Amino acid sequence: MRADRLVALLLFLQSRGRVTVAEVAAELDVAERTARRDLEALATAGIPVYSQRGRGGGWSLVGGARTDLTGLTVNESRALFLLAGPSSATPELRTALRKLVRALPATLRPDAEAAVRAGVIDATDWSRTAVTVDAPRLDALQRAVIDGVQVRLGYTGPGRPGSERTVHPLGLASKAGVAYLVAGTERGLRTFRLSRVTSVEPTGEPVVRPEGFDLATAWRSLAGAVEDRMHAVTAWALADPGTETVLQRLFGGRLRMGAVGADGRLEIEVDGPSPEVLAAQLAGLGAGVEVLGPPGTRARLAELAAELASVYGAPDAAAEAVVATDVESTVATDVESDAEAEVAQGPAG
């Protein structure tokens, strides 16, 4: 993992004083371009690292060779350990963190140790289903990105059979705790949700990077396209008092609330990827939300009502009372439909 390498690089710098890119590459067993990117990443993150050109030049920590990392401020050391701490499940990273804590001045150690303890990863979702990414595949993709090697990627989408394709791994990104691969394909840049990757096979062929490619810029563009699709359709409705909390949990920033009418109901607008997805999400509120449009969403709600009535029949009074009590807790779980999952995973090829 890159966090392991950055910690190892920082220790190497403080022990050697001044190093060249070639020396870093040899020490960390990476390509020189990767070593240079890691050095630049430390500098960008605020670690006091600088380079000197010419004969006898190289990369150094501010202050020269020393036995502790006195160049780090409290905030810098805290930031470094917060970055590495939540990922410290691997024995190698835990060992590296312990070494780095010992290398810090005594005044910085309490903050660093607290930062390591400040993060935790729960490997299950709220239904207690494991959602961890298969470590060998994650490691293989990280190596492919770093080494610049194309891979044959096995991938399965929601409601789709598995398939294989050759892609150009360009970077890894994380959004809301979900990891994605950003890769070049025959159809342009695409994202692939790592939890749906079934196999990774390096081809040995070099990655072709788009001219001027920047991972952060590319991710913003790809994520923006997904967000646009989440706002593709707007439904407008009247909501009963007391439904606001459920609606906010369901739609977040896709909910807009307007005025309260003479009948006490609230005017709302909600966005979604399709009329069908909006209908599925709003159906759990029953008569608590009356959808006025668009026609496609109203039609789908009518279909859902007919389907449910054909299966369950008309509810008796006792059942209606139970349903009314449980609406908020049931709807707030916001179970993701296959159609919405397709949008949320990003535009995969």
Side-chain angles (χ1 to χ4, degrees):
M1 296 176 65
R2 197 184 191 199
D4 304 60
R5 273 205 331 275
L6 293 180
V7 171
L9 173 56
L10 200 51
L11 289 170
F12 186 52
L13 279 165
Q14 69 94 27
S15 65
R16 294 286 296 271
R18 177 173 293 170
V19 297
T20 65
V21 170
E23 290 171 339
V24 171
E27 175 69 18
L28 302 183
D29 193 25
V30 296
E32 289 193 12
R33 65 178 181 277
T34 300
R36 187 180 302 280
R37 283 200 298 266
D38 285 351
L39 286 162
E40 293 170 347
L42 285 180
T44 302
I47 306 300
V49 179
Y50 71 98
S51 62
Q52 181 177 345
R53 298 181 180 278
R55 187 179 182 84
W59 290 76
S60 308
L61 286 168
V62 172
R66 49 193 174 274
T67 57
D68 59 28
L69 297 176
T70 53
L72 285 174
T73 67
V74 172
N75 288 338
E76 289 167 346
S77 64
R78 185 187 299 121
L80 179 63
F81 279 86
L82 280 171
L83 171 68
S87 302
S88 57
T90 64
E92 295 84 0
L93 185 52
R94 285 198 295 269
T95 299
L97 290 173
R98 285 196 296 269
K99 290 179 180 179
L100 185 53
V101 168
R102 290 197 296 269
L104 287 169
T107 55
L108 299 187
R109 290 175 194 165
D111 263 10
E113 291 170 344
V116 172
R117 297 191 298 269
V120 65
I121 293 179
D122 188 340
T124 61
D125 62 17
W126 293 110
S127 63
R128 300 183 181 177
T129 301
V131 293
T132 51
V133 177
D134 186 67
R137 293 171 193 147
L138 174 59
D139 290 344
L141 287 172
Q142 287 174 327
R143 287 195 300 272
V145 170
I146 292 167
D147 296 338
V149 176
Q150 296 179 41
V151 299
R152 187 70 180 167
L153 194 73
Y155 193 77
T156 180
R160 296 180 182 176
S163 62
E164 287 190 349
R165 70 204 77 188
T166 299
V167 303
H168 300 247
L170 299 171
L172 296 167
S174 178
K175 185 175 179 66
V178 179
Y180 299 86
L181 170 70
V182 178
T185 72
E186 293 181 350
R187 298 167 58 187
L189 290 180
R190 293 290 186 272
T191 61
F192 299 89
R193 189 167 176 164
L194 264 62
S195 60
R196 297 194 177 107
V197 173
T198 58
S199 62
V200 180
E201 182 183 351
T203 67
E205 296 296 321
V207 162
V208 178
R209 296 175 67 85
E211 185 176 354
F213 175 81
D214 176 74
L215 179 60
T217 301
W219 174 254
R220 283 194 297 269
S221 176
L222 291 165
V226 175
E227 290 163 2
D228 288 343
R229 292 167 64 191
M230 292 298 294
H231 293 263
V233 176
T234 299
W236 54 98
L238 297 175
D240 287 349
T243 59
E244 297 94 325
T245 300
V246 180
L247 288 166
Q248 287 170 345
R249 291 180 183 176
L250 275 171
F251 297 100
R254 294 184 286 135
L255 168 69
R256 294 177 296 282
M257 293 184 285
V260 176
D263 60 357
R265 292 191 294 177
L266 179 68
E267 297 176 356
I268 65 168
E269 290 184 353
V270 293
D271 297 333
S274 69
E276 292 76 19
V277 170
L278 283 175
Q281 291 182 308
L282 291 168
L285 285 159
V289 173
E290 180 187 355
V291 175
L292 305 178
T297 300
R298 284 178 58 88
R300 181 54 185 156
L301 281 166
E303 291 173 358
L304 289 173
E307 290 171 6
L308 291 172
S310 68
V311 174
Y312 301 105
D316 56 30
E320 286 181 349
V322 172
V323 170
T325 302
D326 291 343
V327 161
E328 179 170 340
S329 61
T330 302
V331 175
T333 58
D334 190 17
V335 179
E336 188 180 58
S337 68
D338 282 350
E340 189 164 13
E342 178 74 14
V343 175
Q345 80 174 25

